[in-house]
Amino acid sequence: MTRNAREVDVLIVGGGPAGLAAGAELAAAGAGRVEILEREQEAGGIPRHCHHGGFGGRLDRSAYAWASANGTAYAQASASGSAYVPGSVSGPAYARRSVAAARDAGAALRTGVTVTGWAGPRTVETTGPSGLERITARAVVLATGARERPRSARLIPGTRPPGVYTTGELQQAVHLYGQRIGTRAVVVGNEPVGHAAAATLRAAGVQVVAMVTDRPAPPVRPRRRRTPLLTGTTVTALTGRSRLSGVALRHDDGRTTTLRCDTVVLTGDFVPDHELARRGGLVLDPGTRGPAYDAAFRTSRPGVFAAGNLLHAVERAGIAAQEGRAVAVPVLHRLAGTEEPPGGGRRLVVDAPLRWIAPNVTGPDGARPQGDRFVLRTARRLTRPLLVVSQGGRRLHSQRLLLPAVPGRPFHLAADWTDRVDPHGAPVRITAR
Amino acid sequence: MNVTLTTAGPLPPEEDGATYDVTVVGAGVVGAAIARELARHDLRTALVDAADDIGSGTSKANTAILHTGFDAVPGSLEARLVREGRDLLAAYAAETGIPVERVGALLVAWDEDQLAELPRLREKAARNGYHASRIIDADRLRTLEPHLGPGALGALEVPDESIICPWTTPLAFATQAVRAGVHLHLNCRVRGVDSDAEGHTLTTSRGPLRTRYLVNAAGLYADEIDRLLGHDVFTVTPRRGQLIVFDKLARDLVGHILLPVPGPAGKGVLVAPTVFGNVLLGPTAEELDDKTATGSTAEGMHLLREKGRRIVPALADEEVTAVYAGLRAATGQEDYRIQEYPGRRYVAVGGIRSTGLTSSMAIGRHVVQLLAAVGLDLTRPRALPPLTMPNLGESFPRPYRSAGLIAQDPAYGTLVCHCEQVTLGEIRDALSATIPPHSLDGLRRRTRARGGRCQGFHCGAAVRALFEEARP
Ligand SMILES: Cc1cc2nc3c(=O)[nH]c(=O)nc-3n(C[C@H](O)[C@H](O)[C@H](O)COP(=O)(O)OP(=O)(O)OC[C@H]3O[C@@H](n4cnc5c(N)ncnc54)[C@H](O)[C@@H]3O)c2cc1C
Ligand SMILES: Cc1cc2nc3c(=O)[nH]c(=O)nc-3n(C[C@H](O)[C@H](O)[C@H](O)COP(=O)(O)OP(=O)(O)OC[C@H]3O[C@@H](n4cnc5c(N)ncnc54)[C@H](O)[C@@H]3O)c2cc1C
């Protein structure tokens, strides 16, 4: 097997918002040869096929459409094709901008090139139409993103007919390929991405029969919806043979029904695309399922950094891009030989019902995470929870949240306790009461 | 090469001289193997199937093990055909590039009773002509399978049990048969049979088909075809097996095919590697009466996950890639029901239960001999055109890692399905193959495209676009 061996200064795997932002920042900072590898024919990542507004703009605002669970305004904004948030743009436009920014800064962006594995601690193997390569870098940034769990991974029983989608596949089918979808659809999941799926279905002329979530109804009913939302409802089976014919449901009170439809979209339930990280033997965080990482985006392997959705599954594109920009600083330290020695960090561990925390390793010395706060997610709704941080029984910090923490949405923990962590002590625990 | 493959419209009319010498009903792995064996002879042979693809019945949904037959019922026809079939298929796989890995099996004893059973199983293997099995103790077992759950006391090691690609096998048989002149008619359901002294007229969904000899290899429906000929010998009841496929990242957890010690409830649930680099857990065994009940159930998956947790606890944390179910053709008899009918120009191939993939080639030979016994003039056999199948196996060279192939054609360096690392070149090849797919599932069985962990999140639309472009 002949592989063309090359060396670069920084190799970035993944040309989504995180990877492109990292590439732009590093190239602009004069990091040397900065190469971004993207396996798709076009770079840009997920936004390439998100044909709704809500990308870019001021971060707090741009987040709105995506983070708001109220789909009405959101769907209207996307149906009218206009950017909902002032200063924000559609996904494809955002993707084009991010690509241009990386190129203009001088990063080498190569599309249609897939990193298929490792050949050394900072050496990867690639496949592309021009052949096989082995690329060694002084620093590697993994920015491989996340995906939605498909039907099989959710263990939804029944037959296996066509007509079953994740949002990712649906958006590409409709927006990139103009494919026919169906006539009547059920959307599973009530997170923002579920509303994006519903908007895409409508854009494709598909009637959305209902949105279904196994979560309980929120205490405050949102405005009247165009589509019925069935809360506390679990999908128990899919039926149909040559084509999906229905979705069997069980409500929390034990009632069962079957909704007739020819399409079902399974939304949310994101999981990091961590294959490369895991194949490289990087330590993963059991909660996020992404690589364990500290405030400097360092993984367990020296010189290998990570950014974006790979770290914590899905966040807004703006957050991923911000992480991409932020990773540049520690990477530059690495290149300059001024990096703090790795390995001193303590693991951050959450107790149920908390699902994960990110970053999930302390350090390096004095470093604070993005925005001076940690991101958390919960498995069930918590009304004004008290978050307690402790190490080996010693309380480091406690903090009452003013808003409820709900599944499917991030909430935050202040980071001003990190300097109280004993660098030689036990893992740090975070509990919610 | 003159290939006859039809999928729609009336069948070739009789005045075109289209009376077949032999017609095989059912293009599963068994029917395809029989057709391939017939293709050696100068005969007009037809292979018909009700579905739009070959191998889309039970043959697409099994545990994909190339059995040694060590645990068959000694002296049965099944025992003999599995033993012969294994050798034939292993050799054929090596010749044509069907992925096979000799990973070996371990029958794990989880309690004293099971441990006490191992010597008997070893003797049974010997009675089946298999002498290489040996009993190993708990320490050795743990060295071989460090991720095995706690409490295993020992095992019977069967070093020759292998895993094989279940999809390439029938496709290879059918491709070679068709290239050697066998006519393949898909979407062609046999609804009636009229027999006379010269042969049979089949009523099919695509019109009449005249044939001198008839082979019934209709799998779950073999009893119904048999009844169309006036027999009432056996009834096929489907026995469903549900299976869970775990992510490739779980592959290192399992080295061997991990079998339970068989009890009264049958062969039980196994954990096994697949040639695609995944880990399989299953199957269940459920007696049903619906021959189309290939769905999975919550209970089935719950049961499998419980069993899996015991066998390899770390599996519980791994992502699930796929869930499927297959139906075994049980007939209430612990053996195949292969029966020739002198004077009727007919061979019934029924009850090919849970070993038909392994025994397929031996069944093919056996059935052709039976056809000769009921009067078919075979003429001298000829060599079949050589065949090389595209490799779907993870342990064999795949195009995305072949510098030579990519240099010749950059399409082999263009990845379309990222989870399974399937290239544009492979998809194009499959779409223009001798027997092309007629659905995305058919394309998946030929290339693995869309069959990986994301199940189409990343590549689904792109693969569909390629399929629709080639087969509008
Ligand atoms: C359906 C959907 C709708 C969304 N809507 C919004 C919204 O309205 N507003 C908003 O702000 N955010 C939205 N988001 C979230 C946003 O898209 C993501 O947060 C953002 O794309 C994450 O960026 P990333 O770079 O981490 O990952 P990605 O965008 O996923 O990019 C990862 C890239 O890495 C590439 N890659 C992976 N592995 C390899 C490899 N081995 N070799 C080479 N390349 C590789 C992939 O092809 C991909 O291009 C949405 C997300 C989804 C799924
Ligand atoms: C869960 C499970 C696990 C298994 N594991 C293994 C294993 O590990 N190793 C092994 O060797 N074997 C295994 N098997 C057994 C193996 O899969 C079967 O023995 C084999 O696939 C049977 O092939 P077949 O050709 O007889 O049937 P099928 O594949 O079902 O083919 C029959 C064909 O006949 C067609 N047909 C039916 N009726 C008509 C009609 N009226 N007109 C036209 N066409 C018709 C159908 O469309 C179908 O394509 C397993 C089976 C199951 C279910």
Side-chain angles (χ1 to χ4, degrees):
Chain A
M1 186 171 23
T2 43
R3 282 189 185 267
N4 183 14
R6 291 198 301 116
E7 284 178 19
V8 300
D9 293 291
V10 185
L11 185 78
I12 298 167
V13 187
L20 291 168
E25 199 75 8
L26 281 158
R33 166 99 189 168
V34 177
E35 188 163 308
I36 307 171
L37 300 182
E38 168 55 52
R39 63 189 183 184
E40 299 291 345
Q41 301 306 315
E42 269 184 54
I46 298 281
R48 279 179 309 127
H49 48 79
C50 296
H51 273 231
H52 48 260
F55 288 88
R58 265 185 42 233
L59 187 63
D60 51 344
R61 300 281 213 89
S62 76
Y64 181 75
W66 170 241
S68 159
N70 182 348
T72 318
Y74 174 79
Q76 276 163 3
S78 41
S80 69
S82 70
Y84 175 67
V85 179
S88 81
V89 296
S90 74
Y94 183 79
R96 280 193 298 274
R97 277 189 201 177
S98 314
V99 167
R103 283 226 167 93
D104 293 348
L109 173 59
R110 296 172 63 214
T111 58
V113 180
T114 306
V115 175
T116 58
W118 299 85
R122 283 180 310 283
T123 305
V124 301
E125 296 188 333
T126 71
T127 292
S130 61
L132 307 180
E133 289 185 328
R134 180 172 293 136
I135 307 175
T136 301
R138 295 168 64 210
V140 174
V141 179
L142 299 179
T144 53
R147 66 175 188 277
E148 290 163 302
R149 281 204 176 83
R151 180 255 177 109
S152 47
R154 301 178 195 220
L155 295 178
I156 298 174
T159 52
R160 302 212 299 161
V164 184
Y165 292 86
T166 47
T167 319
E169 180 175 3
L170 174 78
Q171 288 187 342
Q172 294 189 56
V174 173
H175 297 309
L176 299 187
Y177 294 94
Q179 287 164 355
R180 216 170 16 79
I181 301 301
T183 56
R184 287 166 57 85
V186 169
V187 173
V188 180
N190 179 35
E191 291 171 31
V193 65
H195 296 276
T200 301
L201 285 165
R202 288 192 197 101
V206 183
Q207 185 198 345
V208 183
V209 186
M211 284 183 85
V212 177
T213 171
D214 56 3
R215 300 211 172 118
V220 188
R221 284 245 162 234
R223 275 181 290 158
R224 231 170 60 81
R225 293 165 183 280
R226 175 151 36 147
T227 306
L229 171 68
L230 308 177
T231 54
T233 303
T234 313
V235 176
T236 52
L238 303 186
T239 58
R241 225 144 258 291
S242 55
R243 178 75 197 191
L244 183 76
S245 64
V247 174
L249 303 174
R250 192 186 50 240
H251 305 280
D252 275 355
D253 60 10
R255 280 178 306 129
T256 58
T257 36
T258 298
L259 292 178
R260 204 167 46 75
C261 60
D262 57 16
T263 305
V264 62
V265 188
L266 303 167
T267 75
D269 197 356
F270 286 94
V271 58
D273 266 323
H274 63 202
E275 181 183 15
L276 209 53
R278 195 166 158 193
R279 292 233 183 265
L282 306 193
V283 173
L284 297 192
D285 180 75
T288 60
R289 301 198 156 235
Y293 76 109
D294 66 18
F297 300 95
R298 303 184 305 178
T299 70
S300 61
R301 179 177 297 172
V304 177
F305 300 78
N309 280 348
L310 167 64
L311 292 173
H312 41 54
V314 91
E315 287 284 347
R316 286 117 49 193
I319 302 264
Q322 209 174 52
E323 289 176 355
R325 280 190 292 278
V327 82
V329 177
V331 169
L332 290 168
H333 274 296
R334 166 94 197 166
L335 298 178
T338 52
E339 184 187 31
E340 280 194 39
R346 300 292 93 194
R347 294 297 296 276
L348 304 182
V349 193
V350 295
D351 284 334
L354 297 178
R355 285 182 54 212
W356 53 255
I357 183 166
N360 31 49
V361 179
T362 62
D365 212 17
R368 293 280 182 82
Q370 279 281 292
D372 224 3
R373 58 192 196 173
F374 291 88
V375 185
L376 290 108
R377 293 236 178 178
T378 176
R380 64 177 164 76
R381 187 188 167 88
L382 302 166
T383 318
R384 290 173 30 91
L386 178 72
L387 300 177
V388 177
V389 183
S390 58
Q391 184 182 30
R394 190 165 61 95
R395 182 179 282 213
L396 301 178
H397 173 77
S398 65
Q399 169 188 346
R400 174 78 64 190
L401 289 194
L402 300 177
L403 290 171
V406 292
R409 261 191 266 173
F411 56 99
H412 301 99
L413 169 70
D416 48 11
W417 46 269
T418 47
D419 48 3
R420 295 197 283 279
V421 173
D422 173 2
H424 309 290
V428 176
R429 290 207 97 77
I430 294 96
T431 56
R433 293 179 209 154
Chain B
M1 190 175 31
N2 202 352
V3 164
T4 304
L5 192 176
T6 71
T7 57
L11 293 169
E14 207 183 325
E15 46 272 29
D16 290 4
T19 300
Y20 290 108
D21 292 316
V22 190
T23 296
V24 180
V25 180
V29 73
V30 170
I34 296 168
R36 178 187 166 278
E37 200 57 40
L38 286 164
R40 292 178 190 282
H41 303 278
D42 190 13
L43 298 165
R44 285 179 58 82
T45 301
L47 175 62
V48 304
D49 201 290
D52 67 2
D53 201 354
I54 62 109
S56 62
T58 298
S59 297
K60 75 173 179 200
N62 50 47
T63 40
I65 291 167
L66 183 57
H67 294 291
T68 55
F70 77 94
D71 61 346
V73 177
S76 64
L77 178 63
E78 182 176 9
R80 175 169 73 101
L81 294 180
V82 167
R83 192 167 62 238
E84 291 175 11
R86 192 209 100 86
D87 293 342
L88 288 171
L89 185 48
Y92 184 67
E95 187 184 308
T96 55
I98 297 170
V100 172
E101 286 179 59
R102 182 178 166 276
V103 291
L106 296 168
L107 269 90
V108 181
W110 295 95
D111 60 36
E112 294 293 344
D113 287 350
Q114 292 176 357
L115 195 63
E117 193 64 31
L118 296 184
R120 260 191 292 279
L121 284 163
R122 191 162 179 273
E123 279 161 35
K124 187 179 180 187
R127 274 188 287 149
N128 279 318
Y130 186 76
H131 300 284
S133 67
R134 53 182 173 260
I135 294 168
I136 59 170
D137 64 14
D139 286 347
R140 171 86 185 130
L141 177 57
R142 194 135 308 273
T143 321
L144 290 178
E145 291 291 342
H147 297 282
L148 209 60
L153 302 177
L156 181 72
E157 186 182 3
V158 188
D160 296 296
E161 289 278 300
S162 303
I163 53 178
I164 185 166
C165 176
W167 303 323
T168 312
T169 305
L171 186 61
F173 295 158
T175 301
Q176 210 173 19
V178 166
R179 287 190 188 168
V182 171
H183 292 192
L184 175 60
H185 302 299
L186 298 170
N187 295 314
C188 183
R189 179 179 299 282
V190 176
R191 297 206 170 112
V193 181
D194 273 318
S195 306
D196 52 44
E198 309 291 280
H200 313 270
T201 303
L202 309 184
T203 310
T204 83
S205 53
R206 292 177 53 204
L209 184 151
R210 180 75 191 158
T211 185
R212 292 170 53 229
Y213 289 82
L214 182 64
V215 177
N216 164 13
L220 294 166
Y221 299 89
D223 57 342
E224 293 175 20
I225 300 283
D226 210 40
R227 282 197 195 100
L228 294 178
L229 281 118
H231 305 298
D232 196 2
V233 187
F234 63 92
T235 298
V236 176
T237 47
R239 186 186 295 150
R240 179 165 61 192
Q242 302 185 41
L243 293 128
I244 294 178
V245 181
F246 287 91
D247 193 279
K248 294 180 194 316
L249 291 162
R251 175 64 182 82
D252 289 344
L253 296 174
V254 182
H256 297 73
I257 302 161
L258 301 174
L259 302 166
V261 172
K267 285 191 181 176
V269 171
L270 59 80
V271 172
T274 75
V275 293
F276 313 119
N278 298 73
V279 174
L280 204 60
L281 168 64
T284 59
E286 308 156 57
E287 308 289 342
L288 306 173
D289 45 27
D290 179 358
K291 289 178 177 177
T292 64
T294 52
S296 57
T297 63
E299 302 76 51
M301 285 184 240
H302 180 74
L303 175 114
L304 289 182
R305 286 179 71 84
E306 285 305 305
K307 300 244 182 198
R309 205 185 305 276
R310 167 111 199 248
I311 304 166
V312 180
L315 268 186
D317 292 330
E318 299 292 343
E319 294 286 327
V320 170
T321 297
V323 173
Y324 64 94
L327 301 175
R328 310 166 185 87
T331 64
Q333 177 183 299
E334 290 279 291
D335 204 351
Y336 294 165
R337 304 249 190 180
I338 302 181
Q339 187 65 55
E340 78 282 23
Y341 291 89
R344 299 290 318 261
R345 300 166 180 257
Y346 170 65
V347 178
V349 187
I352 311 302
R353 310 172 306 153
S354 54
T355 50
L357 172 58
T358 306
S359 59
S360 52
M361 292 185 84
I363 295 176
R365 275 197 182 178
H366 182 61
V367 167
V368 171
Q369 282 162 9
L370 293 178
L371 282 169
V374 298
L376 178 68
D377 182 8
L378 283 177
T379 68
R380 265 165 60 88
R382 58 189 181 197
L384 290 169
L387 178 74
T388 304
M389 295 302 289
N391 167 45
L392 304 188
E394 204 58 40
S395 296
F396 302 88
R398 303 255 329 268
Y400 81 95
R401 293 180 68 92
S402 167
L405 213 50
I406 297 169
Q408 278 169 33
D409 182 352
Y412 293 109
T414 305
L415 284 169
V416 178
C417 165
H418 303 296
C419 303
E420 297 294 313
Q421 291 153 321
V422 184
T423 64
L424 183 62
E426 290 165 280
I427 292 175
R428 293 241 163 104
D429 291 350
L431 290 169
S432 60
T434 305
I435 304 177
H438 292 271
S439 65
L440 284 170
D441 275 346
L443 180 62
R444 174 174 55 81
R445 291 195 294 272
R446 284 162 177 81
T447 61
R448 289 168 46 175
R450 279 199 65 142
R453 59 175 69 88
C454 90
Q455 295 277 304
F457 176 94
H458 291 302
C459 75
V463 173
R464 179 177 162 191
L466 290 170
F467 177 78
E468 288 177 352
E469 189 186 305
R471 311 196 67 78

